[in-house]
């Protein structure tokens, strides 16, 4: 299957060839022809499946076919014309043709970056991000250019709509990206308000990890006779990501183990997920003192600082990113070899998104959760959600005082089987929890990094989760 066979125009094909895309992914194969034909889509697929191109390529194809003369004057042109007539120009609202709603600023920026890449040969089409945290004057400048495509988080978009800066009467295409996540984050009212402001003739494409429950209900309300596409790809199951649990006795043990694991020779770049913003900062500081190149990323940082940190990560200047769940989606850096759950996520869905930061672009990745003995149940919840068992590992010199088998009971039958790598067990891996007292030993020991424990932090259940 080729991109040409999907019906995309030559400008887009050239951009894809230049970007090194040789063949469409499964979600692209199904979504692109249907979307070019103008159908509404409900797509269940996850980040890493190529979903951004699946909605953006057919949309760019359709937008590039709109006759610019028929599209009328831009707000800027109308204001210039008014000045030429000696009239005082009135502010004209931007009239985008396409709107992409995303749950996070990071994902919005990722979508905009990809759109710029795909539309490089379509000079007339511009995409801009409208995000919370960005200065208003800057956003006004962007809107005054009347971009064809807006990529936005719901909250800030509503602000601009309500102050008359955006008019959706000309909107042709609406995309809800990671709709399940937007609903989890409480954006349902905002989304409905935005959808109500768009013409009922629009094409709607909704992408979500699941199409069940609340998301399914909303999807049915806002689409017309949609084509349903469900993709269960290797990337969704994270078959290329080796997963492990390491049990720890206390915070000092956890910090020593993290320090050791971060010195692994196979580690290129890593993301360490924490439950709180404060811990993200504290750990980043400690790792920098311990000689790592580390930076924190969380929702208390200004957008500019977040962008700079992500740029440094992409350029390889930052080796270890310490992040809250704000970074669980949208970071797409193929050189991230390791993901650490310093704290387990509150929701199993977030575990899947977190570990998906590694194993990008067809590479392998390693996802390690550092788990307090009391958190065994949370590991089980994740295993039930992913339908994969996560092997427990022990490193010589860093053994927990309690054995793994004391921390969790034997696995349920019917799940992971020896030799089955679906749970990410390495071929040589041994399920230590099924063989009490015979933990897998690996690697050599290195000197522990941290001294003492963090007096402000406690493990697991006693943390607050303030940055979702
Ligand atoms: P997404 O699921 O949209 O987050 O995309 C995941 C990654 O795959 C991004 O780095 C894309 O640039 C890349 N990608 C998307 N489609 C293709 C393709 N057909 N061939 C190669 N890489 C792709």
């Amino acid at each position: 299957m080729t991109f040409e066979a999907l019906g995309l125009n030559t400008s887009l094909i050239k951009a894809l060839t230049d970007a090194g895309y040789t063949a469409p992914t499964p979600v692209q194969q199904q979504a692109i022809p249907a979307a070019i034909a103008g159908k509404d889509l409900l797509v269940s697929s996850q980040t890493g499946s190529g979903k951004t191109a699946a909605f953006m390529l057919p949309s760019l194809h359709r937008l590039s076919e709109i006759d610019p003369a028929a599209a009328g004057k831009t707000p800027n042109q109308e204001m210039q014309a008014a000045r030429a007539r000696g009239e005082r120009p009135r502010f004209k609202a931007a009239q985008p043709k396409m709107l992409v709603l995303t749950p996070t600023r990071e994902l919005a920026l990722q979508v905009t970056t990809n759109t710029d890449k795909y539309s490089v040969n379509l000079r007339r089409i511009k995409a801009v991000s409208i995000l919370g945290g960005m200065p208003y004057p800057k956003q006004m400048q962007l809107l005054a250019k009347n971009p064809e495509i807006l990529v936005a988080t719901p909250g800030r978009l509503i602000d601009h709509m309500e102050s008359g800066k955006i008019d959706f009467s000309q909107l042709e295409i609406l995309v809800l990206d990671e709709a399940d996540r937007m609903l989890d984050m409480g954006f349902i009212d905002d989304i409905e308000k935005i959808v109500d402001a768009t013409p009922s003739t629009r094409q709607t494409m909704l992408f979500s990890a699941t199409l069940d429950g609340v998301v399914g209900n909303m999807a049915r309300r806002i689409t017309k006779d949609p084509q349903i596409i469900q993709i269960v790809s290797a990337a969704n199951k994270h078959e290329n990501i080796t997963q492990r649990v390491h049990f720890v006795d206390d915070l000092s043990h956890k910090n020593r183990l993290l320090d050791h694991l971060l010195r692994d020779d196979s580690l290129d770049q890593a993301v360490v997920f924490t439950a709180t913003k404060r811990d993200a900062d504290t750990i980043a500081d400690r790792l920098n003192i311990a000689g790592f190149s580390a930076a924190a990323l969380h929702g208390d940082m200004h957008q500019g600082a977040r962008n700079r940190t992500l740029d440094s990560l992409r350029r390889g200047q930052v080796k270890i990113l310490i992040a809250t769940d704000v970074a669980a989606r949208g970071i797409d850096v193929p050189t991230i070899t390791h993901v650490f759950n310093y704290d387990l996520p509150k929701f199993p869905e977030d575990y899947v998104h977190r570990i998906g930061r590694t194993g990008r672009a067809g590479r392998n990745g390693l996802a390690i959760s550092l788990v307090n003995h009391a958190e065994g149940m949370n590991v089980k919840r994740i295993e039930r959600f992913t339908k994969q068992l996560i092997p427990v590992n022990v490193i010589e010199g860093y053994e927990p005082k309690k054995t793994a088998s004391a921390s969790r009971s034997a696995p349920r039958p019917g799940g992971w089987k020896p030799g089955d790598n679906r749970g990410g067990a390495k071929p040589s891996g041994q399920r230590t929890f099924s063989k009490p007292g015979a933990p897998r030993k690996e690697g050599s020991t290195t000197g522990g990094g941290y001294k003492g424990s963090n007096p402000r932090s406690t493990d697991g259940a006693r943390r607050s989760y303030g940055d979702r």
Side-chain angles (χ1 to χ4, degrees):
M1 175 71 79
T2 61
F3 282 109
E4 283 90 342
L6 300 179
L8 294 169
N9 67 37
T10 47
S11 303
L12 290 167
I13 303 278
K14 183 169 182 320
L16 293 174
T17 310
D18 292 347
Y21 291 15
T22 49
T25 65
V27 68
Q28 292 162 5
Q29 288 176 26
Q30 293 193 48
I32 291 174
I36 288 180
K39 281 207 67 83
D40 282 4
L41 301 184
L42 296 185
V43 186
S44 131
S45 75
Q46 287 181 346
T47 177
S49 61
K51 66 182 171 59
T52 312
F55 62 74
M56 200 42 91
L57 292 172
S59 303
L60 289 169
H61 177 99
R62 294 190 68 206
L63 295 177
S64 68
E65 293 194 332
I66 296 173
D67 177 4
K73 290 197 173 82
T74 67
N76 264 358
Q77 287 168 331
E78 290 199 15
M79 284 163 77
Q80 277 164 13
R83 277 195 203 97
R85 290 193 300 271
E87 296 166 12
R88 193 151 164 252
R90 280 191 308 122
F91 179 84
K92 289 282 290 181
Q95 294 184 321
K97 298 273 184 304
M98 177 179 187
L99 170 65
V100 182
L101 287 177
T102 73
T104 63
R105 301 180 249 192
E106 278 70 23
L107 185 59
L109 290 171
Q110 194 78 48
V111 170
T112 310
T113 306
N114 281 347
T115 307
D116 291 345
K117 188 159 68 181
Y118 305 145
S119 64
V120 65
N121 303 314
L122 304 170
R123 303 224 175 276
R124 194 163 53 77
I125 298 181
K126 291 276 168 286
V128 304
S129 310
I130 297 295
L131 310 169
M134 221 188 226
Y136 272 91
K138 166 91 183 142
Q139 291 192 341
M140 299 309 299
Q141 274 171 15
L142 293 173
L143 289 175
K145 293 192 175 126
N146 201 27
E148 282 72 16
I149 303 171
L150 292 188
V151 185
T153 49
R156 179 58 66 92
L157 189 70
I158 294 264
D159 288 352
H160 286 300
M161 272 168 60
E162 289 180 343
S163 60
K165 307 290 186 303
I166 302 176
D167 160 15
F168 284 124
S169 62
Q170 304 301 310
L171 196 87
E172 308 215 353
I173 305 168
L174 172 66
V175 176
L176 274 70
D177 194 8
E178 302 200 351
D180 55 328
R181 175 74 159 178
M182 286 197 277
L183 296 191
D184 279 354
M185 291 169 76
F187 284 134
I188 181 107
D189 293 342
D190 287 351
I191 291 174
E192 299 211 326
K193 206 182 260 183
I194 293 165
V195 172
D196 285 347
T198 65
S200 60
T201 49
R202 67 176 189 268
Q203 176 184 26
T204 308
M205 295 184 254
L206 180 143
F207 286 70
S208 176
T210 169
L211 296 175
D212 300 332
V214 195
V215 185
N217 293 341
M218 184 184 73
R220 276 185 288 281
R221 275 203 307 280
I222 66 171
T223 55
K224 288 186 296 293
D225 184 24
Q227 179 157 331
I228 296 173
I229 298 173
Q230 287 190 302
I231 302 290
V232 184
S233 67
N236 284 359
K237 290 188 272 170
H238 290 317
E239 281 173 352
N240 55 335
I241 300 171
T242 301
Q243 300 172 58
R244 291 185 198 161
V245 160
H246 286 265
F247 279 100
V248 295
D249 295 320
D250 53 27
L251 204 58
S252 146
H253 185 197
K254 188 187 271 194
N255 286 336
R256 284 192 299 112
L257 186 56
L258 177 66
D259 184 283
H260 170 77
L261 293 166
L262 287 173
R263 293 176 196 278
D264 188 318
D265 285 344
S266 68
L267 188 146
D268 187 348
Q269 283 176 291
V271 184
V272 178
F273 284 101
T274 63
T276 67
K277 302 165 196 174
R278 201 164 64 173
D279 276 358
D281 282 331
T282 309
I283 294 170
D285 289 347
R286 288 183 177 201
L287 289 176
N288 278 314
I289 291 167
F292 295 99
S293 154
L297 186 81
H298 55 67
D300 270 357
M301 292 162 60
H302 289 301
Q303 190 61 38
R306 282 159 74 165
N307 292 346
R308 279 194 296 282
T309 301
L310 284 173
D311 277 349
S312 306
L313 183 76
R314 281 189 202 102
R315 285 200 300 271
Q317 291 158 341
V318 164
K319 220 171 135 132
I320 300 159
L321 186 74
I322 324 295
T324 57
D325 275 314
V326 78
R329 302 185 188 213
I331 293 184
D332 183 19
V333 179
T335 39
I336 294 174
T337 48
H338 290 56
V339 166
F340 295 92
N341 287 311
Y342 185 85
D343 298 302
L344 285 177
K346 194 173 178 191
F347 300 107
E349 292 92 324
D350 288 332
Y351 175 85
V352 175
H353 288 290
R354 284 179 176 192
I355 71 169
R357 296 314 99 210
T358 181
R360 310 288 293 178
R363 300 178 194 209
N364 292 327
L366 180 57
I368 298 179
S369 299
L370 306 179
V371 177
N372 206 13
H373 298 286
E375 294 177 300
M377 280 310 292
N378 296 348
V379 176
K380 280 194 176 165
R381 277 177 56 218
I382 292 168
E383 291 179 335
R384 264 200 302 279
F385 180 77
T386 60
K387 299 189 173 59
Q388 297 173 337
L389 292 176
I390 310 173
V392 177
N393 268 45
V394 176
I395 295 178
E396 202 173 333
Y398 295 85
E399 298 89 345
K401 290 194 191 84
K402 279 197 216 169
T403 61
S405 58
S407 299
R408 60 197 253 171
S409 55
R412 297 165 307 287
W416 183 91
K417 295 184 290 304
D420 180 353
N421 195 30
R422 283 170 29 120
K426 275 190 166 171
S428 61
Q430 187 181 330
R431 298 164 68 211
T432 55
F433 49 84
S434 63
K435 289 191 170 190
R440 178 173 178 232
K441 306 274 186 187
E442 65 152 43
S444 60
T445 58
T446 56
Y450 306 120
K451 303 273 177 286
S453 63
N454 174 0
R456 286 187 284 118
S457 296
T458 56
D459 274 351
R462 276 180 288 147
R463 290 173 181 282
S464 67
Y465 294 87
D467 188 28
R468 289 189 44 76

